[in-house]
Amino acid sequence: AEVLPRLASTFAAMASTGSPPPSAEPAELFVCGRLCLLGEHSDWAGAYPDPEVLPGKCLVVGTSTNQGLHARVSLDPARANTFTMVSTDDTGVSRTRSFALDDPDSLREEARAGGFWSHVAGTVWTLLRSEEHRDSVSGAPIAARVAEGLGRLPTGAGIRLDNYKTTLPIKKGLSSSAAVCVLVARAFSNALELRLTPLQEARLAYSGERETPSRCGRMDQAGCAFGPGRLVTLVFSGDDVQVEPLRRVGRTLHLVVADLNASKDTVSILRDLQEAFFSSPTTETTKEAARRKTNRSDTQYTSTTEMDDREGPENRKEQESRKAGVARDLRLLLGKTNHDFVARAVDAVERGDAKTLGAVYDDAQNAFDCVAGAASPGNLGVVGSPVLHATRTNTSFKPFVFGSKGVGSQGDGSVQFLCRGATAARRCVEILRDECGAKDAFVLEVPQSADAKATELSEEGNAAAA
């Protein structure tokens, strides 16, 4: 492969520096998941090159040390030029796969094919070959630094990553796939002494996941990389990500997250929303005109436009008008409306006003159901995600919660409740288990800032007495 001469020259240059080889001692790693409180889908929307579309903005928190990927990275003395990973899912089932580091083409091919190991392959390919990621100090491509590190490994050695335990629910809106990509980037950083920052890890992980069929935005990787319990606002404009930590958390937030034990199709949700978001009446008309022209000379192909022609021009106008309306509403939802929700939420968190934050939760979910549900009716909204909405409207939760909403890409994956306090959170977990069959519900606490005055609202006492 063409990478070998470049690696060889870099290795030779490194040998002359006398740099010490990477440590052979195993190192423990942990990558949390992320919970998006508000702003889901605005990350990819903010990359849209249109001055009328506002940057994406979301409020996220890393899950606790009880919800994440536990791993150990070490040098593998018996497998030269190889990255070997053991992946253990949340049920305890383990799989092992080795990747040849001197065959980047096969890595990219596997990433683009999708499948279980695609995210790992995509991230390793990015670390080896991507020229867009550069060291913040030297300006050199991070891929060159990876080559340096590989050149300093003991003769015949490779890298082994053992993800021996996973306590993060998989495919439930907590960014398990993004966490895997961050874990791989962090493993290379540790094994090769790259000293990557969390933001660099997040960017590499995002590029790695984008090598797969996933159409994710940048929120997931950034939320995972910054660590457990960190509450931050992320702003997405084009390819840029800005991290804005909250000034303070005025009151401990008690969140309950539960796997709904239903099903969701993230790929389908992203496809539907992005097709609607990026569509325009002009683009649709041009496409249909081209298809009509093609179909005049191809009698074996019958287009949807020709079917519409048989149904009459009024039907086409109605469809185009509806598409334009959905696109307009979705851009507003993921733009200005979302900015308003996030601003209200940040203000409430900093003031310690959990009741107002709960109201923002409900307002945001209602808006999402209405607008995004129209774009992806089979997956979102009251009809498309019936389990989520049956759970949220269960009256047993009312005495214990300030508000609730979906998680991640939404749909029937997971639900989050903002609870009135620690006692109320425990009661919510019991209700989810006993009435909703959600056995894996967990409490996520975001601690108040050290300078914040403790506030005990009367609702906590009412919940405890209920």
Side-chain angles (χ1 to χ4, degrees):
E2 63 184 67
V3 73
L4 288 177
R6 181 159 58 90
L7 289 176
S9 62
T10 307
F11 294 166
M14 266 312 295
S16 66
T17 67
S19 299
S23 172
E25 291 299 317
E28 288 290 329
L29 303 178
F30 175 79
V31 176
C32 63
R34 72 95 187 95
L35 177 65
C36 178
L37 277 63
L38 291 155
E40 55 272 355
H41 296 291
S42 72
D43 50 349
W44 56 258
Y48 188 51
D50 186 330
E52 295 184 0
V53 176
L54 293 175
K57 199 167 193 178
C58 59
L59 182 62
V60 302
V61 64
T63 57
S64 75
T65 53
N66 294 323
Q67 295 96 30
L69 308 182
H70 304 258
R72 188 177 296 112
V73 63
S74 60
L75 300 186
D76 189 340
R79 300 187 68 89
N81 293 325
T82 301
F83 172 68
T84 300
M85 181 171 178
V86 179
S87 177
T88 304
D89 67 20
D90 54 343
T91 68
V93 176
S94 296
R95 311 183 199 188
T96 302
R97 177 68 188 273
S98 293
F99 300 88
L101 297 179
D102 55 1
D103 188 6
D105 290 341
S106 67
L107 286 166
R108 196 172 207 185
E109 182 179 346
E110 176 149 1
R112 292 181 170 180
F116 183 83
W117 293 102
S118 61
H119 291 73
V120 175
T123 306
V124 175
W125 182 90
T126 299
L127 286 157
L128 290 174
R129 295 299 303 272
S130 176
E131 297 291 334
E132 68 175 291
H133 300 280
R134 294 184 174 270
D135 185 88
S136 57
V137 177
S138 68
I142 289 177
R145 295 194 57 212
V146 170
E148 290 178 8
L150 291 173
R152 289 184 286 116
L153 292 180
T155 302
I159 300 172
R160 180 179 179 85
L161 176 60
D162 182 6
N163 166 212
Y164 58 86
K165 182 171 68 172
T166 293
T167 53
L168 184 70
I170 305 299
K171 294 184 178 180
K172 297 302 177 183
L174 298 175
S175 297
S176 55
S177 60
V180 169
C181 296
V182 172
L183 179 64
V184 172
R186 188 164 294 173
F188 271 73
S189 178
N190 191 289
L192 304 181
E193 298 182 348
L194 303 178
R195 296 181 176 86
L196 299 176
T197 67
L199 187 56
Q200 287 174 320
E201 292 174 347
R203 286 171 171 162
L204 288 160
Y206 168 76
S207 293
E209 186 160 357
R210 293 289 289 188
E211 287 295 324
T212 77
S214 172
R215 298 294 89 193
C216 68
R218 294 176 179 270
M219 170 182 63
D220 298 350
Q221 296 78 15
C224 295
F226 280 92
R230 294 288 301 278
L231 189 60
V232 298
T233 301
L234 302 175
V235 181
F236 307 91
S237 181
D239 292 333
D240 186 45
V241 182
Q242 296 179 18
V243 182
E244 301 176 356
L246 271 65
R247 291 176 299 179
R248 69 198 295 270
V249 178
R251 171 188 173 174
T252 298
L253 302 179
H254 302 272
L255 299 162
V256 169
V257 182
D259 178 350
L260 294 172
N261 294 318
S263 62
K264 64 179 288 185
D265 186 345
T266 300
V267 172
S268 177
I269 291 171
L270 288 170
R271 183 195 63 230
D272 290 347
L273 293 186
Q274 291 174 2
E275 284 182 358
F277 186 90
F278 297 132
S279 70
S280 70
T282 300
T283 303
E284 290 297 321
T285 302
T286 301
K287 286 182 179 179
E288 296 300 344
R291 290 174 68 181
R292 283 197 298 273
K293 183 177 180 180
T294 301
N295 289 332
R296 290 193 190 103
S297 59
D298 186 357
T299 57
Q300 293 182 326
Y301 178 78
T302 302
S303 72
T304 55
T305 302
E306 290 178 332
M307 294 174 64
D308 290 344
D309 284 341
R310 291 194 293 267
E311 295 172 5
E314 293 301 321
N315 181 62
R316 292 201 310 278
K317 290 181 179 179
E318 182 179 337
Q319 289 179 343
E320 290 173 358
S321 176
R322 180 183 177 280
K323 285 182 179 179
V326 171
R328 184 172 55 251
D329 292 345
L330 194 56
R331 291 179 187 180
L332 181 62
L333 174 72
L334 300 181
K336 184 181 184 305
T337 301
N338 177 61
H339 273 238
D340 292 342
F341 285 143
V342 173
R344 287 172 55 195
V346 169
D347 177 67
V349 170
E350 292 183 341
R351 290 188 294 104
D353 186 354
K355 185 174 182 180
T356 294
L357 179 60
V360 178
Y361 262 44
D362 290 336
D363 290 346
Q365 185 64 49
N366 292 337
F368 188 86
D369 289 341
C370 179
V371 177
S376 185
N379 297 287
L380 303 173
V382 176
V383 175
S385 49
V387 180
L388 170 65
H389 289 83
T391 304
R392 290 187 63 238
T393 56
N394 185 330
T395 56
S396 296
F397 293 107
K398 190 172 182 179
F400 309 107
V401 304
F402 288 123
S404 62
K405 62 186 295 292
V407 173
S409 61
Q410 294 254 5
D412 277 341
S414 297
V415 63
Q416 58 175 310
F417 289 96
L418 177 62
C419 301
R420 297 175 182 268
T423 302
R426 290 193 292 271
R427 284 290 294 124
C428 280
V429 170
E430 293 170 356
I431 295 169
L432 283 161
R433 180 193 62 210
D434 298 339
E435 297 186 22
C436 305
K439 299 179 181 179
D440 298 321
F442 62 87
V443 177
L444 174 61
E445 291 189 355
V446 182
Q448 69 177 19
S449 302
D451 64 340
K453 183 179 180 180
T455 303
E456 291 294 336
L457 299 183
S458 61
E459 287 87 350
E460 168 66 4
N462 293 339

